């Protein structure tokens, strides 16, 4: 009886940070060094990320959202512009567009990859825009369409060759939201390094964490230089307080970068574990009426989050919660959120809404044990057998 109760009470979290490397040691060294805002761990962390991703420049920032904010600024997005984003993403992608006084245009997703539907994107650009010497403009509103933000959702990477070709034809800057795809590669290239700029996040639920943090990736020397300038209050004189444009305080601080250095040492292991978890779920439920995200050709996903689509997903979430197993729905489509009601939404069949309604994110901590994973699968298995019989 005692055993039964402990068994029931032990909870399985959705996605816990894993700080079992040299995090404490490096953070203590950072504190002892008395270098807090900047310092050697920040430079080392940026270098580790650059080596891993093969990006020419990596700039550490305060979080993934500020990385997007700065990247969109660098891409030339201005007040009144339109920026294309997928309808299914974390809200930060669309919020960053709004911070600049621009408006997101939500593009529906593909039903199998859950990424921005590039056919739909092309159809919109070919039929609802015009181009002149000032760029690409929306036919109805005459607003400039300045950029497109592909989101490599849950680790699956967009078909960047095709997206870059479309963006080139319509003069759009490409900013990749790679917040959740650190460790994902497609055709040998790391996510976030195929566009003009890429952004990643080290929030505590991401594949590596600095508690809060992010980075901007780019191969463009001038953009990298300007990124560093913008995130340090646009200070243009070494000692005098001269600031030559509107800047931000968006730097990643040294003790958190120290945590990042320790996390980077473990990243390859984390990716392997995430892949194992994803493969386990796919194998376990292959014969059930569920759907998993289909990877684009050439994508080697980090499988940051294992998610599946199932009818009555909310009942399944409740059934798992009753067993102390934490799961979450997929994100609400951006076009359904109050802040974005006035913004344009391009869709044929409202796929994002359907994926969101049926989506469930499954426990996928890199520290999850085989027993825990088995318990999750058994509980889901019971639910699915019952609901299929009915
Ligand atoms: C996590 C995430 C962000 C935001 O990153 P933060 O570090 O939390 O600000 C942006 N976009 C996507 C797709 C994310 O998953």
């Amino acid at each position: 009886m005692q055993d039964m109760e402990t068994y029931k009470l032990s909870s399985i979290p959705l996605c816990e940070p894993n700080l079992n490397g040299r995090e404490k040691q490096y953070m203590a060294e950072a504190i002892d060094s008395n270098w807090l805002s900047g310092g050697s761990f920040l430079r080392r962390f940026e270098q580790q990320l650059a080596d891993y991703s093969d990006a020419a420049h990596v700039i550490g920032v305060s979080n993934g959202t500020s990385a997007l904010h700065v990247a969109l600024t660098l891409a030339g997005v201005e007040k009144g512009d339109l920026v294309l984003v997928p309808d299914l993403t974390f809200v930060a992608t669309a919020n960053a567009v709004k911070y600049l006084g621009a408006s997101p245009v939500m593009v529906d997703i593909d039903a199998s990859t859950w990424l921005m539907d590039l056919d739909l994107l092309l159809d919109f650009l070919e039929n609802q825009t015009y181009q002149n010497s000032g760029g690409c403009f929306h036919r109805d509103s005459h607003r400039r369409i300045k950029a497109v933000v592909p989101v490599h959702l849950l680790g699956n990477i967009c078909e960047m060759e095709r997206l870059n070709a479309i963006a080139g034809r319509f003069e759009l800057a490409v900013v990749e939201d790679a917040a959740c795809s650190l460790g994902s590669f497609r055709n040998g290239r790391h996510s976030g390094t195929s566009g003009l700029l890429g952004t990643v996040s080290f929030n505590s639920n991401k594949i590596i964490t600095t508690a809060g943090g992010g980075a901007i990736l780019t191969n463009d020397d001038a953009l990298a230089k300007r990124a560093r300038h913008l995130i340090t209050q646009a200070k243009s004189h070494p000692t005098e307080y001269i600031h030559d444009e509107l800047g931000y305080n968006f730097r990643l601080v040294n003790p958190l970068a120290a945590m990042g250095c320790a996390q980077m040492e473990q990243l390859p292991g984390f990716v392997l574990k995430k892949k194992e978890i994803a493969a386990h779920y796919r194998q376990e439920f292959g014969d059930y009426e569920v759907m998993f995200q289909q990877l684009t050709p050439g994508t080697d996903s980090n499988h940051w989050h294992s998610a599946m689509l199932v009818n009555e997903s909310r009942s399944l979430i409740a059934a798992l919660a009753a067993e102390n197993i934490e799961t979450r729905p997929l994100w609400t489509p951006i076009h359904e959120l109050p802040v974005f009601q006035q913004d344009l939404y391009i869709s044929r069949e409202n796929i994002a809404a359907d994926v969101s309604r049926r989506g469930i994110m499954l426990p996928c901590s890199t520290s999850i044990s085989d027993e825990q994973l088995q318990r999750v699968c058994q509980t889901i298995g019971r639910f699915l057998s019952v609901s299929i019989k009915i």
Side-chain angles (χ1 to χ4, degrees):
M1 199 60 217
Q2 183 69 44
D3 276 344
M4 243 344 249
E5 257 167 42
T6 358
Y7 171 82
K8 277 211 91 162
L9 284 174
S10 79
S11 64
I12 302 177
L14 178 67
C15 186
E16 269 192 324
N18 186 338
L19 306 176
N20 293 313
R22 299 197 177 97
E23 288 81 5
K24 276 187 189 162
Q25 180 196 327
Y26 291 172
M27 289 184 85
E29 283 176 32
I31 290 166
D32 290 340
S33 78
N34 227 10
W35 283 95
L36 299 180
S37 294
S40 60
F41 280 108
L42 179 56
R43 288 194 297 275
R44 180 161 143 198
F45 183 45
E46 289 176 339
Q47 191 57 50
Q48 279 174 308
L49 287 162
D51 291 344
Y52 184 85
S53 67
D54 219 17
H57 304 278
V58 174
I59 299 106
V61 293
S62 51
N63 54 59
T65 309
S66 56
L68 280 166
H69 188 160
V70 171
L72 289 168
T73 306
L74 293 168
V77 174
E78 290 173 355
K79 193 172 176 207
D81 283 343
L82 298 177
V83 175
L84 298 147
V85 305
D87 192 30
L88 190 71
T89 179
F90 182 57
V91 69
T93 317
N95 278 349
V97 174
K98 288 257 176 188
Y99 296 158
L100 295 170
S103 301
V105 174
M106 277 66 77
V107 181
D108 204 1
I109 57 166
D110 176 89
S112 59
T113 64
W114 310 348
L115 304 174
M116 183 187 281
D117 181 338
L118 299 188
D119 290 326
L120 198 58
L121 173 74
L122 185 60
D123 182 71
F124 169 75
L125 290 168
E126 282 183 337
N127 296 303
Q128 296 191 48
T129 68
Y130 61 90
Q131 280 171 280
N132 62 30
S133 59
C136 179
F137 293 83
H138 181 223
R139 198 169 277 163
D140 294 343
S141 65
H142 300 290
R143 292 170 73 175
R144 182 174 68 160
I145 306 172
K146 183 59 194 173
V148 56
V149 185
V151 178
H152 306 313
L153 202 86
L154 310 178
N156 193 15
I157 301 185
C158 294
E159 296 188 62
M160 289 305 296
E161 307 85 357
R162 183 162 180 228
L163 181 70
N164 279 333
I166 295 171
R169 188 176 145 200
F170 292 93
E171 302 169 82
L172 311 177
V174 178
V175 174
E176 299 177 67
D177 183 346
C180 43
S181 57
L182 183 68
S184 291
F185 292 82
R186 185 160 175 275
N187 299 330
R189 284 187 90 115
H190 192 270
S191 73
T193 63
S194 299
L196 183 67
L197 296 139
T199 63
V200 291
S201 163
F202 314 120
N203 191 46
S204 57
N205 64 344
K206 298 300 202 278
I207 193 157
I208 68 161
T209 185
T210 58
I216 299 168
L217 278 52
T218 186
N219 291 319
D220 185 303
D221 300 349
L223 287 178
K225 199 167 170 222
R226 183 140 183 263
R228 288 200 189 281
H229 186 59
L230 285 177
I231 66 166
T232 46
Q233 308 279 25
K235 190 162 178 287
S236 54
H237 191 280
T239 51
E240 299 290 326
Y241 289 96
I242 311 293
H243 307 266
D244 59 5
E245 60 181 317
L246 181 65
Y248 304 92
N249 180 12
F250 280 169
R251 279 174 306 174
L252 180 64
V253 295
N254 201 42
L256 294 184
M259 186 192 287
C261 289
Q263 290 273 288
M264 276 307 285
E265 293 172 359
Q266 301 164 84
L267 178 58
F270 289 167
V271 172
L272 281 181
K273 181 69 186 187
K274 292 278 191 187
K275 284 180 177 177
E276 248 177 64
I277 296 168
H280 193 97
Y281 285 130
R282 281 168 195 247
Q283 196 188 345
E284 195 82 19
F285 303 117
D287 296 335
Y288 288 88
E289 296 239 354
V290 301
M291 256 182 69
F292 290 96
Q293 183 183 36
Q294 197 179 311
L295 301 181
T296 56
T299 289
D300 179 13
S301 173
N302 69 355
H303 288 284
W304 167 56
H305 248 289
S306 285
M308 66 181 188
L309 308 189
V310 51
N311 294 329
E312 306 191 26
S313 64
R314 299 318 192 254
S315 310
L316 175 55
I317 289 171
L320 288 162
E323 299 288 329
N324 261 322
I325 298 169
E326 187 192 11
T327 55
R328 287 274 173 86
L330 275 179
W331 298 304
T332 303
I334 302 297
H335 84 270
E336 290 184 7
L337 300 174
V339 173
F340 304 96
Q341 289 309 299
Q342 304 306 316
D343 298 310
L344 214 56
Y345 165 49
I346 301 159
S347 168
R348 286 193 199 100
E349 297 171 279
N350 233 345
I351 307 279
D354 177 58
V355 167
S356 168
R357 195 169 52 249
R358 293 194 292 139
I360 167 170
M361 299 210 251
L362 303 170
C364 62
S365 306
T366 51
S367 55
I368 196 169
S369 68
D370 290 349
E371 293 72 34
Q372 287 177 317
L373 199 53
Q374 207 160 18
R375 202 179 115 204
V376 175
C377 288
Q378 280 166 356
T379 313
I380 296 173
R382 274 200 302 276
F383 177 90
L384 291 177
S385 325
V386 171
S387 60
I388 283 166
K389 268 184 214 138
I390 292 168

